Amino acid sequence: MAATKETVLQLTALVRTEWREPFLTALAGIAHNHVGPLQHAKPPFVAVRNSVAAYAEVDRQRAATFYESLIEAKARDQQRVGIYGVGELRVARAVDRLLEVLVTGEESCFNPGGVCVALAKIGSPAAHEALVTLVDKEPLLRWGHCWASVVML
């Protein structure tokens, strides 16, 4: 994975000013689950992982805002990408938004484990408190997702 991340970082350094908007638009298309060349070349998660890293490398603030906005998207796949993105980018301001959209239990369209992992990666005092409170009050999270959060800490 280190070689892949290094390659992504080196390639994003080559993005010229005139290519910036089309490049970021293409990365946003991956997050919105549009079919593109990256999704044909790799499993979708790899394309998402690499696109989050690339987007942040070109414009970290814009990437944080973009992935934070996906947390409340109507499409489940886009929500998951948003949760993953804010965790990877350590977007501390997204903690409240993550908690607002989290619904535990069988009817949930969210992956509670993804929220737990995102909170663990964010690592701010508010994220830590939210994670501990969430895992403590939700029995289903204790067994199913707590281990993933511990690994991320």
Side-chain angles (χ1 to χ4, degrees):
M1 185 162 115
T4 303
K5 184 174 182 178
E6 183 63 29
T7 302
V8 169
L9 297 178
Q10 287 179 353
L11 290 174
T12 55
L14 300 174
V15 175
R16 297 183 182 160
T17 304
E18 64 269 20
W19 298 342
R20 182 184 162 117
E21 286 305 313
F23 183 75
L24 295 178
T25 299
L27 295 177
I30 291 169
H32 286 291
N33 204 21
H34 297 161
V35 177
L38 285 178
Q39 288 182 321
H40 290 298
K42 299 214 175 247
F45 174 75
V46 174
V48 168
R49 182 194 66 206
N50 290 347
S51 67
V52 169
Y55 204 141
E57 195 62 28
V58 173
D59 190 333
R60 186 167 195 80
Q61 185 60 38
R62 186 168 163 182
T65 301
F66 173 70
Y67 289 107
E68 187 178 8
S69 75
L70 289 181
I71 293 171
E72 295 175 8
K74 293 185 194 262
R76 293 166 76 178
D77 290 343
Q78 291 175 20
Q79 292 170 339
R80 289 186 184 122
V81 171
I83 291 169
Y84 173 79
V86 298
E88 286 299 301
L89 299 175
R90 282 43 172 190
V91 183
R93 68 177 185 252
V95 171
D96 289 337
R97 191 172 259 173
L98 286 169
L99 295 175
E100 288 169 9
V101 298
L102 177 66
V103 178
T104 57
E106 304 233 7
E107 73 283 352
S108 174
C109 67
F110 269 91
N111 178 350
V115 172
C116 288
V117 170
L119 290 170
K121 285 182 175 185
I122 290 169
S124 69
H128 171 78
E129 184 178 332
L131 177 61
V132 171
T133 301
L134 185 63
V135 171
D136 185 49
K137 81 174 192 180
E138 294 293 341
L140 292 175
L141 293 177
R142 283 188 206 135
W143 172 252
H145 306 295
C146 185
W147 68 270
S149 302
V150 170
V151 170
M152 304 320 291
L153 295 173

